[in-house]
Amino acid sequence: MLVSPHRTQRPWQGSVEKQASDAQPQYDPSCYLCPGNARAGGVRNPDYGSTFAFTNDFAALRPEVPAGRIDQEERGLLVSESEAGTCRVVCFSPRHDLTLARMSVLEIRTVVDTWIEEYRELGAQGAIHHVQIFENRGEMMGCSNPHPHSQIWANQTIPDEPRKEQEHQRVYLEKHKICMLCDYVELEQEAGQRVICENVFFLALVPFWAVWPFEVLLISKIHLADIGALDDSMRSALADILKRITTRYDNLFEIPFPYSMGFHQAPTDGEAHPEWHFHAHFYPPLLRSATVRKFMVGYEMLASPQRDLTPELAAARLREVREVHYLDRV
Ligand code: H2U
């Protein structure tokens, strides 16, 4: 990771994103996620009153895929394998105009409960070994609809990013006889300069290794392998910290802040995973303002990631904004 904070002083005549769309209505008759509306393919959403989960009509993963492996000319160069799984969509609220930042902690708690139900139900299926819960927020991140929602992709094999994390956590545990993220939480709490906010069970910080300018790592302070291990008060604590992080993000540039976020946790492969420590990553694209994003191009694509402001400065910026949403201020 190359850190070069002086780079933000360079003049910017490059791309300027358009501001996120204007305020949304509470109900949009043309939205395929609003209660009572028809989705593509004709299925009609129920008149739901809190969260609503359904199988993605355009699922990238399907359960009925037969097992298969092709190694062209048996040279080990062009190898393809089939992958079974399923994709779900979780609507956070019937309200089209809300976001996590504008929902109450109690409402977010129902989202946490739904994620846990989904994680458990999907993970209990023998052919599903990994459950990825994530949210793409904002047009800049390719989100197709402003209605508050997340996705879940559940499949047979552990995908690349969690597999790399699993491997590093396993090696660290073997070497140091302590969980890597338990160690890291302690170090960051002592240091303090990368911490953004915390509650009894969770710590939000800009990680030392952050690639994106305002990247955030949300870590459970207690050693837990997965979201299913959260008890009643931890679930509420997760809802609380999610609201606080997303509110701080929105307040930074006073816009609905775009990001991709997702949970990383133990796979559902029936094995013991003492190395896994439950956490979430937030990857927002913005750098200088509401309209100037960080481009991961050139050196970043071909050599190594480079960041334009230090993680300590990013944490200070996120720490100094308030936890009252700019739209809720009187
Ligand atoms: P994104 O906005 O993050 O793309 O999520 C919306 C998902 O909703 C997307 O994966 C699905 C898309 O496939 N979808 C349906 O399942 N049914 C529809 O009628 C439209 C969109």
Side-chain angles (χ1 to χ4, degrees):
M1 163 62 65
L2 180 61
V3 184
S4 24
H6 48 281
R7 290 260 301 163
T8 37
Q9 280 153 25
R10 74 194 195 279
W12 185 257
Q13 294 182 327
S15 165
V16 174
E17 310 289 325
K18 72 177 175 55
Q19 285 268 19
S21 310
D22 293 339
Q24 300 291 331
Q26 290 193 12
Y27 167 75
D28 176 354
S30 66
C31 165
Y32 53 74
L33 297 180
C34 274
N37 289 0
R39 300 205 303 271
V43 186
R44 194 164 283 280
N45 294 326
D47 201 9
Y48 64 97
S50 90
T51 58
F52 168 53
F54 64 92
T55 299
N56 198 313
D57 300 304
F58 306 95
L61 294 150
R62 290 163 184 266
E64 67 279 1
V65 174
R69 185 175 192 276
I70 302 165
D71 180 355
Q72 289 183 38
E73 296 171 29
E74 294 188 3
R75 295 172 65 182
L77 271 175
L78 306 179
V79 183
S80 40
E81 265 178 63
S82 64
E83 183 71 25
T86 189
C87 297
R88 306 268 294 160
V89 179
V90 176
C91 298
F92 295 163
S93 160
R95 286 264 305 267
H96 184 81
D97 59 328
L98 291 184
T99 60
L100 287 179
R102 315 261 356 259
M103 287 165 66
S104 70
V105 173
L106 266 181
E107 287 167 332
I108 302 173
R109 167 65 199 260
T110 64
V111 176
V112 172
D113 290 341
T114 308
W115 283 332
I116 292 172
E117 266 168 49
E118 291 287 318
Y119 173 79
R120 285 192 174 149
E121 276 172 29
L122 293 164
Q125 296 175 26
I128 287 183
H129 295 154
H130 186 262
V131 179
Q132 183 61 60
I133 302 169
F134 64 97
E135 180 193 8
N136 271 337
R137 220 187 95 59
E139 291 162 33
M140 214 183 285
M141 293 309 286
C143 182
S144 62
N145 189 323
H147 194 108
H149 69 281
S150 64
Q151 296 194 46
I152 303 176
W153 292 24
N155 61 312
Q156 262 177 303
T157 47
I158 305 173
D160 290 353
E161 292 304 315
R163 192 170 37 75
K164 279 190 273 177
E165 289 189 6
Q166 175 167 306
E167 192 51 25
H168 287 282
Q169 289 176 103
R170 193 185 57 75
V171 168
Y172 193 95
L173 178 64
E174 274 169 17
K175 190 170 168 201
H176 301 276
K177 311 288 176 230
I178 181 169
C179 153
M180 186 176 79
L181 287 183
C182 285
D183 236 5
Y184 185 59
V185 164
E186 199 184 305
L187 182 156
E188 288 292 13
Q189 277 182 307
E190 274 166 25
Q193 80 265 44
R194 282 176 294 274
V195 171
I196 300 163
C197 57
E198 62 187 298
N199 61 27
V200 185
F201 295 113
F202 290 94
L203 183 69
L205 51 91
V206 179
F208 183 74
W209 56 85
V211 169
W212 293 93
F214 294 100
E215 183 174 328
V216 164
L217 179 68
L218 168 60
I219 324 179
S220 143
K221 290 185 184 173
I222 294 172
H223 186 77
L224 299 170
D226 57 66
I227 197 168
L230 298 179
D231 69 12
D232 182 59
S233 45
M234 290 171 189
R235 291 175 183 211
S236 297
L238 179 57
D240 167 74
I241 202 95
L242 286 172
K243 180 172 173 72
R244 291 165 60 190
I245 295 170
T246 52
T247 301
R248 284 175 183 274
Y249 268 160
D250 282 9
N251 285 346
L252 194 62
F253 300 133
E254 301 211 337
I255 47 143
F257 206 73
Y259 58 76
S260 263
M261 75 78 82
F263 297 104
H264 276 163
Q265 52 191 331
T268 55
D269 56 1
E271 309 281 324
H273 284 287
E275 75 280 20
W276 260 108
H277 189 120
F278 175 66
H279 62 274
H281 297 278
F282 285 78
Y283 299 130
L286 292 175
L287 170 61
R288 289 169 184 239
S289 66
T291 50
V292 176
R293 56 170 297 154
K294 165 76 182 169
F295 284 96
M296 288 290 175
V297 296
Y299 195 82
E300 286 90 335
M301 271 184 156
L302 291 153
S304 111
Q306 172 268 335
R307 56 179 294 124
D308 306 274
L309 77 163
T310 63
E312 294 75 21
L313 185 63
R317 300 261 315 264
L318 285 166
R319 223 178 12 244
E320 90 206 352
V321 289
R322 292 164 61 190
E323 286 187 352
V324 180
H325 198 276
Y326 69 93
L327 292 173
D328 294 331
R329 285 181 210 149
V330 277

